[in-house]
């Protein structure tokens, strides 16, 4: 039977959908309240909270390199997902204990919890994404649609989590928000373990994601060493009273080193090397996309908390609720985009992956045009209608649907099978750089702090940022220029994909 024209999807896709949904509930629930927790409960200023947020989310996307390597060489996808799920559940419960404590103990528990979350995500994230592609035979046209469905699972969890965790955190106590995130991770882990043997099989009913070699004491030592190193990096500034951004050097350095290591592998054919080069070039451009998009968890959350009118019929909506707008829009729009790509493909007019990603960058720039218009002339004590911020998130969602699921599918299709998890981890390395970059940019937000400090002015590359309009202009220009350059390069990149779109 020609699998390329089969209809429907394997049942394993829906198990991965549910597992990822609960894991994303856990991650985005914590993310929605993390900056607010640091500013309101730990009394960190905006810049420090933004930098920690960027370091945490950056390392979350860096550790998939370790998880991808150990999965490809030893663990297999299934066991990696289980290890990652356990570590992330532990991390969320440690955040609960952090929010239940005070002073230095609260901060110490936060660092340990973040370390566990970072390492756990490294095992979980690249492996569950890789398994989606393994459910289908080579060349199956359903893969793009499968990743879009999978992406809906991500966003279903991401939609509910700010509502649940945000309500508990902002209306009751932050510790209950973190506890709810931990419970979500446990549910996802149990779901995966209960159904994996039955549903995670390929088209010939052979199990996928199985271990390749025994996981011995050496590999356990690597994991424990990674935990120690991440904890050290997270605490470096405090331990040595230093301003040196060692995490930034680590992440940006890895962005240079990893492509060199992979591209110099002697087993690669010319076509394989060309395709991998396309992955790395596009990964560079997505740094600008996610650097702007990930302001949602940092500067845009601060903006929602302080300068957005959140009153609805006398009730003040939690600031974290705005982070549900993006996943809700994805749930509603993803089927439309999936249908759009299929229809354009049937007529031979579907844009290539590089062109889709250029469109995504242009849309995120447009979102900031909308919010910049809203804040033009805004005083530090003034507030804007929540509908401006909602409009930004909806436009950004359309950009995300042009870029993120397309990128995941592209990596799955362009990667040689022996490098699949490692290259997926490398793709997430671009997200690591972007999230770290997002924290750095978020720290530039001008204005008062949580306790009403006087307005401050920041600058970037000589450009003075005196108000929110100036701040949002940074993202308009950055993403607009990146979109234009990528669109010009797209034809050259298409030739080096050698027939894979």
């Amino acid at each position: 039977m020609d699998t390329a024209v089969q209809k429907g999807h394997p049942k394993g896709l829906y198990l991965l959908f549910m597992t990822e949904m609960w894991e994303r509930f856990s991650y985005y629930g914590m993310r929605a309240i993390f900056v607010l927790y640091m500013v309101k409960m730990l009394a960190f200023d905006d810049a420090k909270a933004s930098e920690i947020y960027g370091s945490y989310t950056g390392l979350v996307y860096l550790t998939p390199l370790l998880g991808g390597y150990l999965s490809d060489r030893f663990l297999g996808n299934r066991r990696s997902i289980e290890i990652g799920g356990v570590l992330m559940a532990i991390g969320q419960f440690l955040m609960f204990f952090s929010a239940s404590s005070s002073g230095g103990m609260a901060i110490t528990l936060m660092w340990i919890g973040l370390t566990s979350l970072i390492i756990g995500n490294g095992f979980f994230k690249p492996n569950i994404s890789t398994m989606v592609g393994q459910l289908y035979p080579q060349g199956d046209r359903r893969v793009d649609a499968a990743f879009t469905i999978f992406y809906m699972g991500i966003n279903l969890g991401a939609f509910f989590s700010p509502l649940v965790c945000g309500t508990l955190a902002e209306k009751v106590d932050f510790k209950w928000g973190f506890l709810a995130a931990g419970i979500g991770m446990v549910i996802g882990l149990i779901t995966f373990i209960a159904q994996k043997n039955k549903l995670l099989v390929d088209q010939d009913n052979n199990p996928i994601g199985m271990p390749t070699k025994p996981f011995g004491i050496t590999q356990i030592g690597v994991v424990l060493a990674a935990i120690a190193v991440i904890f050290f990096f997270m605490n470096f500034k405090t331990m040595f009273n230093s301003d040196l951004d060692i995490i930034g050097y680590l992440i940006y350095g890895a962005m240079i080193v990893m492509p060199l290591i992979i591209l110099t592998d002697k087993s690669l054919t010319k076509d394989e090397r060309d395709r991998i080069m396309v992955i790395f070039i596009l990964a560079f451009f997505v740094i600008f996309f996610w650097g702007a998009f990930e302001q949602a968890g940092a500067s845009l959350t601060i903006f929602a908390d302080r300068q957005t009118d959140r009153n609805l019929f006398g009730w003040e909506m939690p600031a974290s609720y705005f982070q549900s707008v993006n996943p809700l829009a994805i749930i509603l729009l993803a089927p439309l985009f999936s249908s759009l790509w299929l229809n354009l493909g049937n007529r031979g007019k579907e844009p290539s992956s590089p062109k889709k990603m250029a469109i995504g960058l242009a849309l995120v720039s447009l979102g900031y045009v909308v919010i910049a218009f809203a804040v033009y002339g805004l005083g530090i004590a003034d507030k804007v209608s929540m509908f401006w911020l909602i409009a930004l998130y909806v436009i950004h969602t359309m950009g995300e649907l042009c870029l993120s699921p397309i990128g995941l599918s592209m990596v799955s299709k362009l990667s040689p099978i022996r490098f699949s998890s490692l290259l997926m981890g490398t793709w997430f390395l671009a997200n690591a750089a972007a999230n770290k970059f997002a924290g750095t940019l978020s720290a530039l937000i001008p204005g008062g702090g949580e306790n009403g400090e006087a307005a401050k002015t920041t600058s970037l590359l000589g450009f003075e940022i005196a108000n929110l309009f100036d701040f949002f202009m940074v993202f308009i220009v950055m993403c607009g220029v990146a979109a234009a350059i990528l669109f010009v390069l797209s034809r050259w990149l298409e030739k080096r994909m050698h027939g894979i779109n």
Side-chain angles (χ1 to χ4, degrees), residues 71-100:
S71 173
D72 283 344
R73 298 297 187 273
F74 303 99
L75 292 172
N77 305 121
R78 299 182 183 209
R79 190 179 295 169
S80 296
I81 290 169
E82 291 165 357
I83 293 172
V86 169
L87 287 172
M88 285 190 286
I90 291 171
Q92 296 290 15
F93 294 136
L94 285 168
M95 293 299 295
F96 164 76
F97 290 121
S98 170
S100 303

PDB file of all heavy atoms in Angstrom, residues 71-100:
ATOM      1  N   SER A  71      20.072  10.092  23.919  1.00  0.00           N
ATOM      2  CA  SER A  71      18.986   9.307  23.335  1.00  0.00           C
ATOM      3  C   SER A  71      19.466   8.556  22.090  1.00  0.00           C
ATOM      4  O   SER A  71      19.203   7.361  21.935  1.00  0.00           O
ATOM      5  CB  SER A  71      17.812  10.217  22.973  1.00  0.00           C
ATOM      6  OG  SER A  71      16.828   9.508  22.271  1.00  0.00           O
ATOM      7  N   ASP A  72      20.150   9.269  21.201  1.00  0.00           N
ATOM      8  CA  ASP A  72      20.636   8.641  19.967  1.00  0.00           C
ATOM      9  C   ASP A  72      21.625   7.514  20.253  1.00  0.00           C
ATOM     10  O   ASP A  72      21.620   6.480  19.580  1.00  0.00           O
ATOM     11  CB  ASP A  72      21.326   9.683  19.084  1.00  0.00           C
ATOM     12  CG  ASP A  72      20.330  10.578  18.355  1.00  0.00           C
ATOM     13  OD1 ASP A  72      19.143  10.210  18.283  1.00  0.00           O
ATOM     14  OD2 ASP A  72      20.741  11.641  17.863  1.00  0.00           O
ATOM     15  N   ARG A  73      22.486   7.694  21.259  1.00  0.00           N
ATOM     16  CA  ARG A  73      23.564   6.740  21.499  1.00  0.00           C
ATOM     17  C   ARG A  73      23.181   5.624  22.472  1.00  0.00           C
ATOM     18  O   ARG A  73      23.710   4.512  22.369  1.00  0.00           O
ATOM     19  CB  ARG A  73      24.797   7.485  22.060  1.00  0.00           C
ATOM     20  CG  ARG A  73      25.383   8.531  21.133  1.00  0.00           C
ATOM     21  CD  ARG A  73      25.923   7.909  19.827  1.00  0.00           C
ATOM     22  NE  ARG A  73      26.625   8.901  19.019  1.00  0.00           N
ATOM     23  CZ  ARG A  73      26.058   9.690  18.149  1.00  0.00           C
ATOM     24  NH1 ARG A  73      24.753   9.641  17.974  1.00  0.00           N
ATOM     25  NH2 ARG A  73      26.768  10.550  17.439  1.00  0.00           N
ATOM     26  N   PHE A  74      22.297   5.898  23.431  1.00  0.00           N
ATOM     27  CA  PHE A  74      22.061   4.925  24.486  1.00  0.00           C
ATOM     28  C   PHE A  74      20.573   4.732  24.831  1.00  0.00           C
ATOM     29  O   PHE A  74      20.032   3.642  24.710  1.00  0.00           O
ATOM     30  CB  PHE A  74      22.799   5.340  25.778  1.00  0.00           C
ATOM     31  CG  PHE A  74      24.265   5.520  25.603  1.00  0.00           C
ATOM     32  CD1 PHE A  74      24.810   6.784  25.437  1.00  0.00           C
ATOM     33  CD2 PHE A  74      25.119   4.428  25.602  1.00  0.00           C
ATOM     34  CE1 PHE A  74      26.170   6.964  25.272  1.00  0.00           C
ATOM     35  CE2 PHE A  74      26.490   4.598  25.441  1.00  0.00           C
ATOM     36  CZ  PHE A  74      27.015   5.865  25.277  1.00  0.00           C
ATOM     37  N   LEU A  75      19.925   5.820  25.258  1.00  0.00           N
ATOM     38  CA  LEU A  75      18.632   5.695  25.932  1.00  0.00           C
ATOM     39  C   LEU A  75      17.473   5.333  25.021  1.00  0.00           C
ATOM     40  O   LEU A  75      16.567   4.601  25.427  1.00  0.00           O
ATOM     41  CB  LEU A  75      18.297   7.005  26.661  1.00  0.00           C
ATOM     42  CG  LEU A  75      19.171   7.346  27.862  1.00  0.00           C
ATOM     43  CD1 LEU A  75      18.848   8.747  28.343  1.00  0.00           C
ATOM     44  CD2 LEU A  75      18.957   6.349  28.969  1.00  0.00           C
ATOM     45  N   GLY A  76      17.452   5.881  23.820  1.00  0.00           N
ATOM     46  CA  GLY A  76      16.254   5.808  23.002  1.00  0.00           C
ATOM     47  C   GLY A  76      15.266   6.879  23.444  1.00  0.00           C
ATOM     48  O   GLY A  76      15.356   7.430  24.548  1.00  0.00           O
ATOM     49  N   ASN A  77      14.310   7.180  22.572  1.00  0.00           N
ATOM     50  CA  ASN A  77      13.365   8.260  22.850  1.00  0.00           C
ATOM     51  C   ASN A  77      12.476   7.993  24.053  1.00  0.00           C
ATOM     52  O   ASN A  77      12.215   8.888  24.873  1.00  0.00           O
ATOM     53  CB  ASN A  77      12.486   8.515  21.620  1.00  0.00           C
ATOM     54  CG  ASN A  77      13.291   8.800  20.374  1.00  0.00           C
ATOM     55  OD1 ASN A  77      13.183   8.096  19.385  1.00  0.00           O
ATOM     56  ND2 ASN A  77      14.119   9.832  20.407  1.00  0.00           N
ATOM     57  N   ARG A  78      11.994   6.765  24.196  1.00  0.00           N
ATOM     58  CA  ARG A  78      11.030   6.462  25.252  1.00  0.00           C
ATOM     59  C   ARG A  78      11.617   6.702  26.642  1.00  0.00           C
ATOM     60  O   ARG A  78      11.013   7.388  27.475  1.00  0.00           O
ATOM     61  CB  ARG A  78      10.562   5.013  25.143  1.00  0.00           C
ATOM     62  CG  ARG A  78       9.869   4.668  23.849  1.00  0.00           C
ATOM     63  CD  ARG A  78       9.410   3.229  23.872  1.00  0.00           C
ATOM     64  NE  ARG A  78       8.783   2.832  22.602  1.00  0.00           N
ATOM     65  CZ  ARG A  78       7.853   1.904  22.502  1.00  0.00           C
ATOM     66  NH1 ARG A  78       7.440   1.259  23.583  1.00  0.00           N
ATOM     67  NH2 ARG A  78       7.333   1.598  21.330  1.00  0.00           N
ATOM     68  N   ARG A  79      12.774   6.089  26.894  1.00  0.00           N
ATOM     69  CA  ARG A  79      13.365   6.209  28.222  1.00  0.00           C
ATOM     70  C   ARG A  79      13.774   7.652  28.508  1.00  0.00           C
ATOM     71  O   ARG A  79      13.673   8.124  29.641  1.00  0.00           O
ATOM     72  CB  ARG A  79      14.568   5.271  28.341  1.00  0.00           C
ATOM     73  CG  ARG A  79      15.098   5.137  29.762  1.00  0.00           C
ATOM     74  CD  ARG A  79      16.283   4.187  29.830  1.00  0.00           C
ATOM     75  NE  ARG A  79      15.898   2.828  29.492  1.00  0.00           N
ATOM     76  CZ  ARG A  79      16.783   1.854  29.268  1.00  0.00           C
ATOM     77  NH1 ARG A  79      18.080   2.113  29.310  1.00  0.00           N
ATOM     78  NH2 ARG A  79      16.378   0.636  28.987  1.00  0.00           N
ATOM     79  N   SER A  80      14.233   8.367  27.486  1.00  0.00           N
ATOM     80  CA  SER A  80      14.603   9.774  27.671  1.00  0.00           C
ATOM     81  C   SER A  80      13.397  10.603  28.104  1.00  0.00           C
ATOM     82  O   SER A  80      13.507  11.473  28.975  1.00  0.00           O
ATOM     83  CB  SER A  80      15.184  10.337  26.369  1.00  0.00           C
ATOM     84  OG  SER A  80      16.373   9.682  26.017  1.00  0.00           O
ATOM     85  N   ILE A  81      12.251  10.351  27.482  1.00  0.00           N
ATOM     86  CA  ILE A  81      11.026  11.075  27.847  1.00  0.00           C
ATOM     87  C   ILE A  81      10.643  10.798  29.290  1.00  0.00           C
ATOM     88  O   ILE A  81      10.253  11.709  30.041  1.00  0.00           O
ATOM     89  CB  ILE A  81       9.888  10.691  26.878  1.00  0.00           C
ATOM     90  CG1 ILE A  81      10.166  11.288  25.491  1.00  0.00           C
ATOM     91  CG2 ILE A  81       8.532  11.157  27.399  1.00  0.00           C
ATOM     92  CD1 ILE A  81       9.252  10.764  24.403  1.00  0.00           C
ATOM     93  N   GLU A  82      10.794   9.563  29.716  1.00  0.00           N
ATOM     94  CA  GLU A  82      10.444   9.204  31.097  1.00  0.00           C
ATOM     95  C   GLU A  82      11.380   9.872  32.114  1.00  0.00           C
ATOM     96  O   GLU A  82      10.920  10.417  33.125  1.00  0.00           O
ATOM     97  CB  GLU A  82      10.479   7.691  31.256  1.00  0.00           C
ATOM     98  CG  GLU A  82       9.372   6.983  30.494  1.00  0.00           C
ATOM     99  CD  GLU A  82       9.599   5.490  30.335  1.00  0.00           C
ATOM    100  OE1 GLU A  82      10.660   4.983  30.761  1.00  0.00           O
ATOM    101  OE2 GLU A  82       8.720   4.833  29.767  1.00  0.00           O
ATOM    102  N   ILE A  83      12.694   9.848  31.833  1.00  0.00           N
ATOM    103  CA  ILE A  83      13.649  10.505  32.727  1.00  0.00           C
ATOM    104  C   ILE A  83      13.354  11.996  32.806  1.00  0.00           C
ATOM    105  O   ILE A  83      13.331  12.601  33.882  1.00  0.00           O
ATOM    106  CB  ILE A  83      15.093  10.259  32.247  1.00  0.00           C
ATOM    107  CG1 ILE A  83      15.461   8.778  32.400  1.00  0.00           C
ATOM    108  CG2 ILE A  83      16.081  11.128  33.025  1.00  0.00           C
ATOM    109  CD1 ILE A  83      16.792   8.411  31.767  1.00  0.00           C
ATOM    110  N   GLY A  84      13.116  12.601  31.638  1.00  0.00           N
ATOM    111  CA  GLY A  84      12.821  14.024  31.610  1.00  0.00           C
ATOM    112  C   GLY A  84      11.558  14.374  32.374  1.00  0.00           C
ATOM    113  O   GLY A  84      11.519  15.369  33.108  1.00  0.00           O
ATOM    114  N   GLY A  85      10.521  13.560  32.230  1.00  0.00           N
ATOM    115  CA  GLY A  85       9.268  13.824  32.930  1.00  0.00           C
ATOM    116  C   GLY A  85       9.421  13.778  34.435  1.00  0.00           C
ATOM    117  O   GLY A  85       8.870  14.622  35.162  1.00  0.00           O
ATOM    118  N   VAL A  86      10.177  12.801  34.934  1.00  0.00           N
ATOM    119  CA  VAL A  86      10.406  12.691  36.381  1.00  0.00           C
ATOM    120  C   VAL A  86      11.157  13.920  36.902  1.00  0.00           C
ATOM    121  O   VAL A  86      10.781  14.511  37.932  1.00  0.00           O
ATOM    122  CB  VAL A  86      11.182  11.398  36.705  1.00  0.00           C
ATOM    123  CG1 VAL A  86      11.660  11.405  38.156  1.00  0.00           C
ATOM    124  CG2 VAL A  86      10.318  10.177  36.455  1.00  0.00           C
ATOM    125  N   LEU A  87      12.218  14.323  36.190  1.00  0.00           N
ATOM    126  CA  LEU A  87      13.010  15.476  36.636  1.00  0.00           C
ATOM    127  C   LEU A  87      12.194  16.770  36.613  1.00  0.00           C
ATOM    128  O   LEU A  87      12.307  17.609  37.518  1.00  0.00           O
ATOM    129  CB  LEU A  87      14.254  15.625  35.754  1.00  0.00           C
ATOM    130  CG  LEU A  87      15.370  14.597  35.978  1.00  0.00           C
ATOM    131  CD1 LEU A  87      16.445  14.748  34.906  1.00  0.00           C
ATOM    132  CD2 LEU A  87      15.978  14.758  37.364  1.00  0.00           C
ATOM    133  N   MET A  88      11.348  16.926  35.604  1.00  0.00           N
ATOM    134  CA  MET A  88      10.542  18.151  35.534  1.00  0.00           C
ATOM    135  C   MET A  88       9.474  18.191  36.622  1.00  0.00           C
ATOM    136  O   MET A  88       9.187  19.253  37.179  1.00  0.00           O
ATOM    137  CB  MET A  88       9.921  18.293  34.146  1.00  0.00           C
ATOM    138  CG  MET A  88      10.919  18.734  33.096  1.00  0.00           C
ATOM    139  SD  MET A  88      10.167  19.178  31.520  1.00  0.00           S
ATOM    140  CE  MET A  88       9.747  17.558  30.911  1.00  0.00           C
ATOM    141  N   ALA A  89       8.892  17.046  36.948  1.00  0.00           N
ATOM    142  CA  ALA A  89       7.927  17.013  38.042  1.00  0.00           C
ATOM    143  C   ALA A  89       8.601  17.399  39.353  1.00  0.00           C
ATOM    144  O   ALA A  89       8.072  18.204  40.138  1.00  0.00           O
ATOM    145  CB  ALA A  89       7.305  15.623  38.150  1.00  0.00           C
ATOM    146  N   ILE A  90       9.800  16.855  39.598  1.00  0.00           N
ATOM    147  CA  ILE A  90      10.555  17.206  40.802  1.00  0.00           C
ATOM    148  C   ILE A  90      10.842  18.706  40.833  1.00  0.00           C
ATOM    149  O   ILE A  90      10.710  19.370  41.869  1.00  0.00           O
ATOM    150  CB  ILE A  90      11.871  16.399  40.858  1.00  0.00           C
ATOM    151  CG1 ILE A  90      11.570  14.913  41.111  1.00  0.00           C
ATOM    152  CG2 ILE A  90      12.795  16.941  41.951  1.00  0.00           C
ATOM    153  CD1 ILE A  90      12.774  14.013  40.981  1.00  0.00           C
ATOM    154  N   GLY A  91      11.225  19.259  39.679  1.00  0.00           N
ATOM    155  CA  GLY A  91      11.520  20.685  39.598  1.00  0.00           C
ATOM    156  C   GLY A  91      10.332  21.556  39.959  1.00  0.00           C
ATOM    157  O   GLY A  91      10.472  22.553  40.684  1.00  0.00           O
ATOM    158  N   GLN A  92       9.142  21.203  39.467  1.00  0.00           N
ATOM    159  CA  GLN A  92       7.954  21.998  39.775  1.00  0.00           C
ATOM    160  C   GLN A  92       7.599  21.917  41.269  1.00  0.00           C
ATOM    161  O   GLN A  92       7.196  22.913  41.872  1.00  0.00           O
ATOM    162  CB  GLN A  92       6.761  21.521  38.931  1.00  0.00           C
ATOM    163  CG  GLN A  92       6.924  21.704  37.428  1.00  0.00           C
ATOM    164  CD  GLN A  92       6.881  23.155  36.982  1.00  0.00           C
ATOM    165  OE1 GLN A  92       6.997  24.077  37.769  1.00  0.00           O
ATOM    166  NE2 GLN A  92       6.725  23.358  35.674  1.00  0.00           N
ATOM    167  N   PHE A  93       7.769  20.745  41.861  1.00  0.00           N
ATOM    168  CA  PHE A  93       7.483  20.614  43.287  1.00  0.00           C
ATOM    169  C   PHE A  93       8.496  21.396  44.120  1.00  0.00           C
ATOM    170  O   PHE A  93       8.156  21.948  45.178  1.00  0.00           O
ATOM    171  CB  PHE A  93       7.451  19.144  43.698  1.00  0.00           C
ATOM    172  CG  PHE A  93       6.309  18.382  43.075  1.00  0.00           C
ATOM    173  CD1 PHE A  93       6.504  17.123  42.533  1.00  0.00           C
ATOM    174  CD2 PHE A  93       5.031  18.921  43.021  1.00  0.00           C
ATOM    175  CE1 PHE A  93       5.453  16.421  41.951  1.00  0.00           C
ATOM    176  CE2 PHE A  93       3.970  18.238  42.446  1.00  0.00           C
ATOM    177  CZ  PHE A  93       4.178  16.977  41.910  1.00  0.00           C
ATOM    178  N   LEU A  94       9.741  21.494  43.639  1.00  0.00           N
ATOM    179  CA  LEU A  94      10.728  22.323  44.329  1.00  0.00           C
ATOM    180  C   LEU A  94      10.366  23.805  44.229  1.00  0.00           C
ATOM    181  O   LEU A  94      10.595  24.578  45.176  1.00  0.00           O
ATOM    182  CB  LEU A  94      12.117  22.080  43.745  1.00  0.00           C
ATOM    183  CG  LEU A  94      12.790  20.762  44.157  1.00  0.00           C
ATOM    184  CD1 LEU A  94      14.022  20.493  43.295  1.00  0.00           C
ATOM    185  CD2 LEU A  94      13.176  20.790  45.632  1.00  0.00           C
ATOM    186  N   MET A  95       9.792  24.225  43.095  1.00  0.00           N
ATOM    187  CA  MET A  95       9.299  25.601  42.981  1.00  0.00           C
ATOM    188  C   MET A  95       8.158  25.850  43.963  1.00  0.00           C
ATOM    189  O   MET A  95       8.027  26.945  44.531  1.00  0.00           O
ATOM    190  CB  MET A  95       8.844  25.886  41.548  1.00  0.00           C
ATOM    191  CG  MET A  95       9.957  25.895  40.513  1.00  0.00           C
ATOM    192  SD  MET A  95      11.227  27.144  40.815  1.00  0.00           S
ATOM    193  CE  MET A  95      10.279  28.658  40.605  1.00  0.00           C
ATOM    194  N   PHE A  96       7.324  24.840  44.186  1.00  0.00           N
ATOM    195  CA  PHE A  96       6.262  24.938  45.189  1.00  0.00           C
ATOM    196  C   PHE A  96       6.859  25.177  46.573  1.00  0.00           C
ATOM    197  O   PHE A  96       6.403  26.052  47.333  1.00  0.00           O
ATOM    198  CB  PHE A  96       5.429  23.649  45.185  1.00  0.00           C
ATOM    199  CG  PHE A  96       4.555  23.468  46.394  1.00  0.00           C
ATOM    200  CD1 PHE A  96       3.385  24.189  46.549  1.00  0.00           C
ATOM    201  CD2 PHE A  96       4.913  22.572  47.395  1.00  0.00           C
ATOM    202  CE1 PHE A  96       2.575  24.025  47.672  1.00  0.00           C
ATOM    203  CE2 PHE A  96       4.118  22.393  48.517  1.00  0.00           C
ATOM    204  CZ  PHE A  96       2.947  23.129  48.656  1.00  0.00           C
ATOM    205  N   PHE A  97       7.910  24.417  46.913  1.00  0.00           N
ATOM    206  CA  PHE A  97       8.551  24.596  48.220  1.00  0.00           C
ATOM    207  C   PHE A  97       9.274  25.936  48.306  1.00  0.00           C
ATOM    208  O   PHE A  97       9.340  26.544  49.373  1.00  0.00           O
ATOM    209  CB  PHE A  97       9.517  23.443  48.497  1.00  0.00           C
ATOM    210  CG  PHE A  97       8.829  22.127  48.748  1.00  0.00           C
ATOM    211  CD1 PHE A  97       9.082  21.025  47.942  1.00  0.00           C
ATOM    212  CD2 PHE A  97       7.912  21.984  49.786  1.00  0.00           C
ATOM    213  CE1 PHE A  97       8.447  19.816  48.162  1.00  0.00           C
ATOM    214  CE2 PHE A  97       7.264  20.782  50.017  1.00  0.00           C
ATOM    215  CZ  PHE A  97       7.532  19.685  49.205  1.00  0.00           C
ATOM    216  N   SER A  98       9.802  26.415  47.167  1.00  0.00           N
ATOM    217  CA  SER A  98      10.422  27.735  47.143  1.00  0.00           C
ATOM    218  C   SER A  98       9.402  28.809  47.504  1.00  0.00           C
ATOM    219  O   SER A  98       9.662  29.684  48.342  1.00  0.00           O
ATOM    220  CB  SER A  98      11.002  28.022  45.752  1.00  0.00           C
ATOM    221  OG  SER A  98      11.404  29.374  45.631  1.00  0.00           O
ATOM    222  N   ALA A  99       8.227  28.731  46.860  1.00  0.00           N
ATOM    223  CA  ALA A  99       7.180  29.728  47.119  1.00  0.00           C
ATOM    224  C   ALA A  99       6.548  29.557  48.504  1.00  0.00           C
ATOM    225  O   ALA A  99       5.850  30.455  48.969  1.00  0.00           O
ATOM    226  CB  ALA A  99       6.104  29.640  46.043  1.00  0.00           C
ATOM    227  N   SER A 100       6.797  28.409  49.143  1.00  0.00           N
ATOM    228  CA  SER A 100       6.295  28.177  50.501  1.00  0.00           C
ATOM    229  C   SER A 100       7.288  28.660  51.549  1.00  0.00           C
ATOM    230  O   SER A 100       6.982  28.650  52.742  1.00  0.00           O
ATOM    231  CB  SER A 100       6.025  26.680  50.716  1.00  0.00           C
ATOM    232  OG  SER A 100       5.110  26.184  49.764  1.00  0.00           O
TER     233      SER A 100
END
